[in-house]
Amino acid sequence: MSYEKEYQKSIQTPELFWQEKADQLDWFEPPSRILGSDENGIDRWFMDGVMNTCHMALDYHVEQGRGDQIAIHYDSPVTETKESICYKDLRDQVALFAGVLRKQGVKKGDRVLIYMPMIPQACIAMLACARLGAVHSVVFGGFAAHELAIRIEDATPDVIVSASCGIEVNRVIDYKALLDKAVELASHKIKHAIIWQRPESLANLIEGRDIDWQLALQTAQAADCVPVLSTDPLYILYTSGTTGRPKGVVRDNGSHAVAMKYSMKAIYNMDPGDVFWAASDVGWVVGHSYIVYAPLLQGLTTVLYEGKPIGTPDAGAFWRVCEEYGVKALFSAPTAFRAIKKADPESVCLKPYRLNKLETVFMAGERLDPATYHWVKDLLNVPVIDHWWQTETGWAICGNLMGIEAKEPKPGSSTLPSPGFNVKILDDEGNEVGPNVQGNVALKLPLPPSCLATIWGNHDRFKDGYLKTFEGYYTSGDGGYIDEEGYVFIMGRTDDIINVAGHRLSTGEMEEVIASHPDVAECAVIGVKCDIKGQKPLGLVLLKDGVNKNESQLESEIISNIRSEIGAVASFKEAKVVQRLPKTRSGKILRKLIRQIADGEEYNVPSTIDDPASLSEIESVLCAR
Ligand code: COA
Ligand code: AMP
């Protein structure tokens, strides 16, 4: 099949294109209105379609004779546990847990917050919500109680589903304690917490509020799939914005299912029965889309891995999993491969394994640097595909479509737009620029299925943040260029968001935490280069007049504040005291300039700088690191 033909069809006749893709799913009532507009004037797909995502992902396959096929291989080196669950058993477990949720009053449209480690129960909880038409909001385990509390307040769930603990390599993380603290901090009060007890650390349950998952199953009645409208929300996933408050990206049921199933073949070339492994976490969008929903919607076997690329037990972990389960496509972040390369530069840990089923490696979450690209390609001798994504879209905006037509890759580029994404580079005035000119990466409306149509509880934030800057376009927040052959190069965020180990973090949020320290007058957080994690945050701090504090004491207080307010995932390990911050005459901190200095890049001193002498101090502080 020709990529150009497929892509042009998606742009010229989007309704026809997506109707054909929608026809491949088992709707209760297939949509007749393919593209419409909602009460906010936002484009919406399949508006009158009636369906249930859990039905399409599980029941449908069981009905089609796929019941005995493995749906999930759970592999947990941190607990030395392995479990393989077939479609039929997964459907039954999901239906039963949906019965537990229903007994606690959960119904269509209700929000359920899920705070879980990488265990099958995380997937079961997500799918059980989908079964009831309830809206799940999964919170990544590396976030602190305060972050969890923000999400409880915003999503206002009556029920939270969690586990007694998570395991980080060899450290037991007391999820229940974090949950209790978050519930205490949040002004919205939940009615129930349903807790999966893990033997590594049993949680104390609060009588009247907490429910023991395993006990509740004993008296539960299986629940059927509840029909929902295509445009009813399936989930809310919070992601970092430029302010301290995360944004709740809302994902529709129907358009998500269509895009997920389509992408599984078009981008990843996966057919029913194949084994797919997204080495990510269910707390991130990659986990939602490619650990849970897309593989199941396509009838694949998905791998759920509770471990790290290194240290559980060694840098051969990825290779072992690929061999053991016959993984056909592996998807992870470049940072994972950089970690493997550092721990095992001679690839000794690869030697015992035969990866004869592995056809492709996909990477996303951050730019795939050419050095990592070449290292992985040479090591595994399979195509290595960079593809560009956002939580907001739920699937790759650009990639090399292995199921349609594999193009010659260009290191540093995420190749070509996925069908449905009309990618343009605009200058700051909104004019389209020519080939090889850097600008703002924008998507011409309508967005294809699965992209967000609002921010939970704050539609203005959606309009203002994404649609206002350039009329008729979605602003991605990324900068980049398109070359003369149409290849897209994503060069990094144009806002104050950084990518640390493939995790999206807001420097603004870190600045808010630092600024609340009693000794701090002003601060700036920037993302500086890191060999393994791509970027890592660095704080520059101005003390209040009269404060004479030991710098390393201050640094450790700030580090600990960020850890307890945002979480270990922020990887915040460095704060430096400075006397001045370089600013423009209007008082804006020149963050890009500071980053360039920290990264040893060449820079131009802007004519708008207020105090050029501030640069020499910043230079000496940053060079002394
Ligand atoms: N629960 C609790 N804590 C968690 C956590 C979780 N689910 N996930 C991470 N953390 C903690 C880590 O233990 C670490 O704590 P520490 O500072 O006390 O050591 C901190 O958060 C930072 O985690 P991380 O950035 O993952 O660093 P790491 O040093 O533990 O591991 C890598 C480094 C490269 C191995 C790891 O980041 C990785 O595998 N990355 C792959 C990226 C990925 O999956 N991205 C998703 C998009 S595809
Ligand atoms: P998230 O919403 O957490 O998936 O993060 C999305 C952001 O990660 C994007 O806006 C990009 O800045 C960055 N990103 C993701 N994938 C890539 C990629 N393949 N190349 C460059 N940047 C990427």
Side-chain angles (χ1 to χ4, degrees), residues 153-173:
E153 252 164 30
D154 200 73
T156 61
D158 283 341
V159 173
I160 298 188
V161 180
S162 188
S164 55
C165 68
I167 295 138
E168 273 295 291
V169 187
N170 47 18
R171 199 157 39 104
V172 174
I173 312 276

Side-chain angles (χ1 to χ4, degrees), residues 107-156:
K107 55 185 188 319
K108 183 171 150 184
D110 290 349
R111 275 80 55 215
V112 174
L113 199 131
I114 300 174
Y115 186 57
M116 303 278 285
M118 287 284 287
I119 56 177
Q121 287 67 34
C123 310
I124 290 171
M126 292 165 79
L127 289 157
C129 289
R131 195 168 186 88
L132 296 176
V135 183
H136 62 68
S137 186
V138 182
V139 180
F140 175 63
F143 281 121
H146 175 253
E147 286 289 323
L148 189 53
I150 292 176
R151 287 152 174 82
I152 294 174
E153 252 164 30
D154 200 73
T156 61

Side-chain angles (χ1 to χ4, degrees), residues 257-301:
V258 172
M260 288 300 100
K261 183 166 165 57
Y262 172 66
S263 66
M264 209 70 260
K265 177 65 190 169
I267 299 180
Y268 303 97
N269 195 26
M270 299 299 288
D271 293 305
D274 288 343
V275 183
F276 188 77
W277 180 23
S280 177
D281 189 289
V282 287
W284 305 113
V285 66
V286 172
H288 280 62
S289 294
Y290 292 106
I291 295 175
V292 183
Y293 287 110
L296 298 179
L297 285 160
Q298 177 72 337
L300 308 182
T301 297

Side-chain angles (χ1 to χ4, degrees), residues 366 497-501 527-530 533-537 595:
E366 54 177 318
I497 286 172
I498 58 173
N499 255 287
V500 180
V528 296
K529 267 193 197 135
C530 169
K533 297 192 178 187
Q535 282 190 304
K536 60 183 177 185
R595 184 190 57 72

